[in-house]
Amino acid sequence: MNEIPQIVVTGVGPALPGVAGVQDLVTGPSVPAEPVDPAALLGKKGLKYKDRATRLGLCAASLGLQDAGLRNAEGPLVPPRGVGCVVASNYGNADTICRVVTTIAEETTRGTSPMDSPNASSNIIASEVAIRFGLQGPNMTVCNGDSSGLDALHWAASLLRSARADQVLVIGVEPDNEMVRRLVRTDRLVDGAVALVLESATTAEERGVKARAVWGGYARTGGVERTAHRLDRFGAGSPAAWYAPEEPGDGTPRAEHPRSGLVRHDMSAVRGTLSAALGTAQCAAAVARFDAGESGPVHLMAGRVDDGVAGALLLAPGDAS
């Protein structure tokens, strides 16, 4: 029987307002920050007719791939056939879908723009990332509510363990626009994306890149307490901190971790509603803290089912055994 490879995080790419580097994820913006400018990061070429979420996803992808040493300004540094892409987004092209549906209802299909047709695909962000950066590995989108970011990381780990890819780029992205605000019913939304690169520890060592964090395990249950106990079974020791799920927003109290005394990090309190980008933002912030010398492991939790979370991830520092 083949040994299950250890999965590690080797790259982080935050494309968020007020974030100039990974360490800015630890403190958050101290003042209202300007929106991410994709043209300033990527250049204007190739961005026309792309929706906001796709542009943000491309920004995070570029930063994450470079941070992991998978590409530089000249192009890819590894065979592109081995690099997959998993995107998590719940509202990425909601504005396009609503616009197209409204146009068809009022003018029939003759009124729709051919430029809107590709953007109406649920996999548009992942597809555009693969096309722009030449990624030829598995390509998919996860749209699964608040746990989507952690679910996408889980799928990436599954692709690596099944030898379907050598590296997987995971992107959590949500746009801030009028349509999304109406759907989410909040005026405090994230407008950004966070990318991470996952690969096996063996592959990272062969490439000579640092393992920034170690994937300790993933669980899905109907509540925080059960999920936390499930993560304990992976045997990484008691968590040093936990990254809380977002506020339910329906008046119900937010679920708390069953173990008292943990350092608690609330990404949504700093960034606003992150939805599908929550899990990747949590993971990236944990990596930033590991980079700064904090110890782990940590529990990342996201989603709402019954009394608590739907998905949770155990993450440990890169030097963990």
Side-chain angles (χ1 to χ4, degrees), residues 124-248:
I124 183 62
I125 303 170
S127 299
E128 290 293 343
V129 168
I131 292 170
R132 186 176 185 103
F133 299 109
L135 310 183
Q136 298 175 19
N139 186 279
M140 62 182 291
T141 295
V142 178
C143 181
N144 194 38
D146 290 352
S147 68
S148 295
L150 295 183
D151 295 338
L153 290 163
H154 168 64
W155 278 107
S158 298
L159 291 172
L160 293 168
R161 288 185 174 125
S162 61
R164 294 285 306 278
D166 297 320
Q167 294 88 19
V168 181
L169 173 70
V170 183
I171 305 168
V173 54
E174 298 290 7
D176 182 3
N177 56 52
E178 180 182 358
M179 184 54 62
V180 177
R181 287 178 179 237
R182 288 172 57 187
L183 291 170
V184 182
R185 297 181 181 179
T186 182
D187 59 358
R188 191 165 180 267
L189 290 165
V190 72
D191 183 57
V194 180
L196 297 123
V197 172
L198 270 60
E199 60 186 295
S200 74
T202 300
T203 302
E205 184 178 2
E206 291 173 349
R207 294 199 302 118
V209 296
K210 180 181 179 181
R212 312 265 288 281
V214 175
W215 174 278
Y218 170 86
R220 285 184 66 89
T221 77
V224 170
E225 185 170 353
R226 281 175 285 170
T227 306
H229 290 323
R230 185 79 60 84
L231 291 181
D232 287 340
R233 298 178 186 176
F234 292 108
S238 298
W242 86 296
Y243 290 72
E246 291 188 323
E247 190 74 44

Side-chain angles (χ1 to χ4, degrees), residues 2-279:
N2 293 330
E3 183 179 353
I4 298 177
Q6 185 181 61
I7 306 302
V8 298
V9 178
T10 55
V12 181
L16 295 167
V19 176
V22 175
Q23 285 305 313
D24 290 335
L25 290 170
V26 175
T27 58
S30 57
V31 296
E34 292 297 318
V36 174
D37 182 359
L41 179 63
L42 302 170
K44 294 182 179 180
K45 185 177 181 181
L47 295 183
K48 192 175 183 180
Y49 303 121
K50 302 289 190 298
D51 60 28
R52 177 65 176 171
T54 298
R55 295 182 181 191
L56 292 169
L58 290 170
C59 289
S62 177
L63 294 169
L65 291 170
Q66 292 182 57
D67 190 53
L70 297 182
R71 68 178 294 117
N72 58 22
E74 283 69 48
L77 300 174
V78 297
R81 65 181 179 276
V83 185
C85 179
V86 182
V87 167
S89 187
N90 293 321
Y91 306 106
N93 64 343
D95 54 339
T96 299
I97 296 295
C98 292
R99 182 172 62 252
V100 169
V101 169
T102 300
T103 300
I104 292 175
E106 295 177 350
E107 307 175 35
T108 76
T109 56
R110 294 183 180 181
T112 60
S113 166
M115 297 299 101
D116 269 340
S117 298
N119 293 335
S121 167
S122 60
N123 201 50
I124 183 62
I125 303 170
S127 299
E128 290 293 343
V129 168
I131 292 170
R132 186 176 185 103
F133 299 109
L135 310 183
Q136 298 175 19
N139 186 279
M140 62 182 291
T141 295
V142 178
C143 181
N144 194 38
D146 290 352
S147 68
S148 295
L150 295 183
D151 295 338
L153 290 163
H154 168 64
W155 278 107
S158 298
L159 291 172
L160 293 168
R161 288 185 174 125
S162 61
R164 294 285 306 278
D166 297 320
Q167 294 88 19
V168 181
L169 173 70
V170 183
I171 305 168
V173 54
E174 298 290 7
D176 182 3
N177 56 52
E178 180 182 358
M179 184 54 62
V180 177
R181 287 178 179 237
R182 288 172 57 187
L183 291 170
V184 182
R185 297 181 181 179
T186 182
D187 59 358
R188 191 165 180 267
L189 290 165
V190 72
D191 183 57
V194 180
L196 297 123
V197 172
L198 270 60
E199 60 186 295
S200 74
T202 300
T203 302
E205 184 178 2
E206 291 173 349
R207 294 199 302 118
V209 296
K210 180 181 179 181
R212 312 265 288 281
V214 175
W215 174 278
Y218 170 86
R220 285 184 66 89
T221 77
V224 170
E225 185 170 353
R226 281 175 285 170
T227 306
H229 290 323
R230 185 79 60 84
L231 291 181
D232 287 340
R233 298 178 186 176
F234 292 108
S238 298
W242 86 296
Y243 290 72
E246 291 188 323
E247 190 74 44
D250 57 5
T252 59
R254 191 193 319 227
E256 295 296 335
H257 199 284
R259 188 175 284 110
S260 61
L262 291 183
V263 176
R264 185 179 187 278
H265 300 296
D266 188 346
M267 297 294 296
S268 59
V270 177
R271 301 285 171 188
T273 300
L274 288 120
S275 193
L278 175 62

